Amino acid sequence: MTVSANAPLRLEHISITLAGRELLAVDATIAPGEVLTVMGPSGSGKSTLLAYIAGFLDHEFSATGGVWLGQRNLLTVAAEKRGIGLLFQDPLLFPHLSVGGNVRFGLPRQAQDKHHQVQQALKQVGLEGFAKRDPATLSGGQKARVALMRLLLSQPQAVLLDEPFSKLDTALRQEMRSLVFSQLREAGLPALLVTHDQADADAAGGPVIDLG
């Protein structure tokens, strides 16, 4: 995977409120290949910020401020057309699809030689030969790797990470942090990580906003 000429993700004077109370205020620009970490306890509005950027903010929240990907105003674009990739706590693999089928799902409809791309993606994360496996037979770390490659093959222009390491056991967390952040840097994608774990922020290696 080569670095592409991706655009920065700009969060311009974003304010999110609930019942008239401001939960968070963020103003930041995330460069291609950079990970901005937003830290804070549960209820501080971290995941709500991701929902606003991605286009599925719950109606009980109010939000103001701009979200720009290069020259594109994402707030004027439907959620499914924003080019935003999401990685959650749970891998959210499709149980009715094989491992290869899950990875293939991320490929654009017009992609050529999908079989080869799937095989290469699995090889890249140490899952060569796993294409026909049932996702239910995978370990937590293996599922996380499949979810990551499915996301990258979808060719997002920016990535949102919602505590993606929190459900992995301690031994796997550092391994997955290294894998995820190295892949994002290699792809040249601006990424926003929300977490309450300082070790996540340290591994991301980018700027940190602490909501305290």
Side-chain angles (χ1 to χ4, degrees):
M1 192 175 297
T2 57
V3 175
S4 58
N6 287 325
L9 179 64
R10 303 200 317 274
L11 313 177
E12 296 187 339
H13 306 294
I14 292 176
S15 172
I16 296 179
T17 60
L18 176 64
R21 180 176 68 88
E22 185 176 73
L23 295 178
L24 61 80
V26 173
D27 186 62
T29 296
I30 310 170
E34 181 179 67
V35 181
L36 168 67
T37 300
V38 174
M39 293 190 65
S42 296
S44 59
K46 303 187 304 298
S47 294
T48 310
L49 173 63
L50 298 189
Y52 180 57
I53 297 168
F56 49 87
L57 184 69
D58 192 285
H59 293 303
E60 66 179 319
F61 296 95
S62 297
T64 58
V67 181
W68 294 81
L69 191 55
Q71 300 304 311
R72 295 175 65 218
N73 178 1
L74 294 190
L75 298 184
T76 65
V77 179
E80 69 275 11
K81 295 182 179 178
R82 293 190 181 189
I84 301 290
L86 298 158
L87 207 58
F88 297 101
Q89 294 179 10
D90 294 305
L92 302 177
L93 300 184
F94 300 114
H96 63 289
L97 296 178
S98 65
V99 168
N102 269 277
V103 174
R104 189 180 298 108
F105 186 86
L107 284 166
R109 187 174 299 176
Q110 69 276 16
Q112 302 295 313
D113 200 358
K114 293 184 179 182
H115 176 77
H116 176 72
Q117 290 195 59
V118 169
Q119 299 302 321
Q120 287 299 111
L122 290 174
K123 183 178 181 180
Q124 195 172 337
V125 290
L127 295 176
E128 189 173 11
F130 278 63
K132 295 183 179 179
R133 289 271 295 269
D134 183 335
T137 67
L138 302 184
S139 67
Q142 290 169 335
K143 290 177 181 177
R145 288 166 181 261
V146 173
L148 172 64
M149 295 316 293
R150 182 178 63 187
L151 178 150
L152 291 174
L153 287 182
S154 72
Q155 300 177 358
Q157 294 171 291
V159 173
L160 306 179
L161 306 163
D162 192 356
E163 304 205 40
F165 316 112
S166 62
K167 291 194 174 181
L168 297 174
D169 61 51
T170 305
L172 274 173
R173 283 184 193 176
Q174 191 54 45
E175 179 185 342
M176 283 306 301
R177 287 179 185 124
S178 297
L179 176 65
V180 169
F181 297 137
S182 66
Q183 292 284 337
L184 293 176
R185 280 193 295 271
E186 187 178 344
L189 293 169
L192 174 60
L193 166 71
V194 301
T195 183
H196 61 270
D197 189 338
Q198 182 64 48
D200 288 347
D202 294 342
V208 178
I209 296 174
D210 193 343
L211 301 177

